[in-house]
Amino acid sequence: MMVSTADWPKREHGDLVSSIRLQRHGNALSLIWKLSCGDIVVASSERWRSDFGDEQEADDVEDIFTREREFLSFWSVASSTLPYDRLADWLQPLLEKRRADRESEHSRQEMELAEANQLGLYYADDRRLHLRLLRGSVLSRTCLWSIRFKQRSQTDRFVDWVHHRPGGMEAIAADAEKMGSATLERVLLEEMLRTEQRVKKAGLASGSHRPLEFWRGEE
Amino acid sequence: MGKPTSSAASPVTPAPAPPVEVVVSFPMGTRAAPLGLDRPLRLLGGGEVLRPEGLASTFGIDHVPGLRTFVAEAARGQALDGNDWYRQPPLVLLGDEGSGRSFVSAWIARNAGLPLFRMPVRGNFAAGSATPNGQERPLPVLPLLAMASSVCANPIVIVELDLDDLPEGQSEAALIRMIDPRRNSRWMDVEHDAFFDLGRISWILEVRNHVPPSRTDHDTRPNRADVMLPPALSDLISDVGSTIVVDCPNELHRLQCLDVAFEVCAEAGRADRATVGAVYDAVHVRHPHGRGDRWCDREPKCGTLVAEAKRALATYGNGVVA
């Protein structure tokens, strides 16, 4: 059969371009090879098509092909020349790696979120006279409340009690927002003194400047 | 994962059309053309080869960026000019030793159905300009020998240039007279008193260098794309030819192995999926790392991959799993 001039677009239409495109229709992906000249498609073929069971799997495969252009070129030839089971054998580990990457990314994000919400009472100075209630990660922390003492033993006395306060640090943070810093300080110190009195009556207090040093929250 | 489907883009084998024939010699005197070149010669590579589904859609060259577009443009040019036979503009293939330039030439020749010849050209190249000496007559130049021996007016001739010994001055001019498509349809052979039409030959200029590829100097050796051809030759290529760099980096190594496996199988008429798969496995398992890979002690030459593929195909054919 002789070639006809009608088979090809005229030169005025522009240069020929050979390209591989990944197309998605729902959960199906296909690789289309095209030889085109401007808007005119001179030749094309569907090199590969696969219907995936779920959207996530289709997303993962699309992501693999989009990230690695060389793999796309390889796949476009391999899918037309190699056994079908070989293709599945290659795609499976890539999908598993993609899943593992996604899970690890998810865990990292969760950890970052947890770190960002982490709440703790920290010494603000080396002399341990100043306590601060901080929320956030090491890189970015917000002070929600603070309290100062004149002696280190007073700080220790407060810390002995506050760690066993019902509700923990979250309750203190909520109270700080609700009642303000100065009021909260008064309320907490009163609570501490009342607790010390109860514990002393129960005979569980130690005799030092830190009556609750060996108390573990029992009433 | 769903079952994949795919469709191969290999060209359909056509019913062979009678070959077009043409006369390529035009004697100036009474002497007959040498080698029987005054008889009509075939023009090959027409029909399905020139169709968009033909050479332009065939597998085996995707690891060489730009080559598919180049052969597609060549096929379009011939079809639009009403020539039912294949010819391409002069093509310069640049690349390190072992990068796969010869594979490219062989791929074009086999898939276009054209005979392929190699013509070394050195600094002292003087085709058609030697002075006759008494009874002694030189042999016809290689392109004439190529046409005569293949009885084909449009073979592919690889002009093998050596970076260390490029033709310059008159040698360069002689080469240009031979390959310039604007003037080589009336190429004069003084010794044989005739004009010859070399305008249907597809010329491929392979620029060779003697730097063996190695891992150590991969980053420091000069980029072959920067190779400077002699000025007039360079102008000719800029005006009417194309340059393609054959430099298969590690990222394309797997694709190169697959292209080689497919081409070797197709050449043997055994390009079914199972055979190509087995041959590809054998090639890639033996040469898993490509050029520039940090794990690669010795970069695989394309010729080595081809030899490996042929060996694997022969083994697979004997019923032994490669």
Side-chain angles (χ1 to χ4, degrees):
Chain A
M1 182 193 298
M2 279 189 65
V3 69
S4 155
T5 52
D7 292 330
W8 293 95
K10 291 194 164 46
R11 293 183 181 91
E12 302 88 85
H13 288 105
D15 293 337
L16 295 168
V17 176
S18 169
S19 61
I20 293 284
R21 294 269 161 77
L22 183 68
Q23 290 187 352
R24 179 154 182 185
H25 311 280
N27 291 344
L29 287 171
S30 57
L31 270 182
I32 310 291
W33 171 77
K34 273 184 194 169
L35 184 66
S36 49
C37 177
D39 296 334
I40 305 167
V41 177
V42 183
S44 73
S45 66
E46 187 181 74
R47 296 274 180 92
W48 171 77
R49 182 186 176 86
S50 192
D51 293 298
F52 294 93
D54 63 88
E55 193 179 348
Q56 186 63 67
E57 197 170 45
D59 284 349
D60 285 346
V61 175
E62 189 176 12
D63 190 57
I64 289 166
F65 282 133
T66 309
R67 284 187 188 197
E68 299 179 40
R69 297 300 299 177
E70 284 81 17
F71 186 68
L72 190 73
S73 307
F74 174 75
W75 198 259
S76 74
V77 179
S79 58
S80 300
T81 56
L82 295 182
Y84 293 114
D85 55 348
R86 191 73 51 85
L87 303 174
D89 289 349
W90 274 329
L91 202 50
Q92 208 53 43
L94 289 171
L95 275 171
E96 278 163 19
K97 183 177 178 304
R98 179 76 194 109
R99 272 185 217 119
D101 286 350
R102 201 177 51 246
E103 278 163 19
S104 133
E105 173 70 8
H106 186 65
S107 308
R108 193 185 62 77
Q109 283 176 354
E110 275 187 343
M111 221 163 74
E112 273 182 12
L113 191 66
E115 218 173 67
N117 284 321
Q118 201 173 14
L119 188 64
L121 195 61
Y122 299 91
Y123 293 111
D125 57 347
D126 291 341
R127 294 162 62 203
R128 293 164 68 172
L129 296 176
H130 184 193
L131 287 171
R132 288 197 300 182
L133 182 67
L134 302 174
R135 188 188 290 284
S137 66
V138 180
L139 297 174
S140 165
R141 278 179 174 157
T142 313
C143 181
L144 304 177
W145 176 73
S146 71
I147 184 168
R148 285 177 188 278
F149 298 94
K150 287 183 180 166
Q151 290 176 14
R152 184 168 159 176
S153 61
Q154 291 173 345
T155 315
D156 293 340
R157 185 177 166 184
F158 179 78
V159 169
D160 288 343
W161 168 77
V162 79
H163 279 150
H164 299 292
R165 184 177 186 261
M169 298 304 148
E170 286 292 348
I172 296 175
D175 288 344
E177 195 178 343
K178 200 161 51 184
M179 58 182 72
S181 195
T183 312
L184 178 63
E185 185 173 327
R186 276 200 303 278
V187 167
L188 289 178
L189 291 174
E190 276 174 27
E191 259 188 54
M192 180 187 79
L193 292 171
R194 278 201 301 273
T195 307
E196 283 177 355
Q197 284 166 6
R198 278 203 308 276
V199 172
K200 273 179 190 168
K201 273 186 192 170
L204 295 171
S206 57
S208 67
H209 294 295
R210 297 171 60 183
L212 301 183
E213 185 175 8
F214 303 115
W215 179 67
R216 296 294 179 266
E218 59 272 32
E219 289 285 342
Chain B
M1 190 174 61
K3 181 176 169 52
T5 61
S6 86
S7 57
S10 297
V12 179
T13 308
V20 189
E21 292 188 332
V22 69
V23 173
V24 297
S25 72
F26 306 96
M28 292 185 283
T30 53
R31 197 187 292 174
L35 305 168
L37 280 171
D38 44 3
R39 66 190 156 157
L41 302 182
R42 297 170 301 168
L43 284 166
L44 303 175
E48 287 295 317
V49 168
L50 297 183
R51 294 172 63 86
E53 300 78 17
L55 188 63
S57 300
T58 307
F59 288 117
I61 48 160
D62 290 283
H63 68 284
V64 184
L67 190 58
R68 184 174 297 286
T69 310
F70 173 79
V71 294
E73 288 286 7
R76 171 166 78 159
Q78 286 298 90
L80 292 180
D81 291 344
N83 297 326
D84 196 25
W85 44 276
Y86 183 80
R87 175 183 56 183
Q88 63 187 32
L91 170 65
V92 175
L93 290 177
L94 297 177
D96 289 329
E97 193 180 330
S99 60
R101 290 161 306 173
S102 302
F103 177 82
V104 168
S105 305
W107 181 91
I108 296 172
R110 193 188 74 76
N111 288 285
L114 300 180
L116 178 67
F117 297 90
R118 184 173 287 274
M119 179 172 79
V121 169
R122 298 291 176 262
N124 59 356
F125 181 73
S129 59
T131 309
N133 180 14
Q135 290 301 307
E136 192 179 317
R137 290 174 63 190
L139 281 169
V141 293
L142 190 132
L144 297 183
L145 289 171
M147 288 196 288
S149 65
S150 61
V151 200
C152 170
N154 64 329
I156 295 178
V157 175
I158 299 171
V159 177
E160 200 178 85
L161 295 171
D162 191 328
L163 262 190
D164 299 331
D165 193 13
L166 288 169
E168 290 174 352
Q170 288 191 350
S171 300
E172 185 188 8
L175 178 62
I176 288 173
R177 274 199 302 277
M178 190 176 270
I179 67 174
D180 187 345
R182 296 166 298 193
R183 52 204 276 211
N184 62 0
S185 59
R186 297 281 290 172
W187 182 78
M188 190 169 69
D189 188 341
V190 177
E191 289 83 358
H192 298 98
D193 284 339
F195 286 101
F196 290 94
D197 185 351
L198 305 182
R200 295 182 179 91
I201 295 175
S202 294
W203 303 93
I204 296 178
L205 281 69
E206 269 190 17
V207 184
R208 294 172 66 96
N209 69 81
H210 298 299
V211 183
S214 74
R215 185 181 168 199
T216 48
D217 65 352
H218 197 273
D219 296 330
T220 55
R221 66 187 169 204
N223 183 354
R224 294 300 107 188
D226 298 335
V227 163
M228 292 296 290
L229 291 173
L233 197 55
S234 183
D235 288 346
L236 168 69
I237 298 303
S238 300
D239 292 346
V240 294
S242 291
T243 300
I244 287 179
V245 179
V246 186
D247 182 19
C248 193
N250 188 42
E251 298 78 51
L252 292 172
H253 176 64
R254 270 210 309 183
L255 183 54
Q256 185 186 29
C257 290
L258 182 54
D259 279 345
V260 165
F262 179 82
E263 176 60 14
V264 165
C265 291
E267 187 178 10
R270 296 171 59 194
D272 59 281
R273 287 177 181 265
T275 308
V276 175
V279 172
Y280 166 77
D281 283 349
V283 174
H284 193 251
V285 163
R286 289 291 295 273
H287 304 281
H289 307 293
R291 303 160 70 82
D293 188 301
R294 65 195 177 106
W295 300 110
C296 181
D297 290 331
R298 204 173 50 183
E299 292 174 345
K301 292 181 178 179
C302 187
T304 310
L305 301 181
V306 172
E308 190 68 52
K310 286 182 174 171
R311 189 200 62 78
L313 183 64
T315 313
Y316 186 72
N318 288 335
V320 181
V321 177

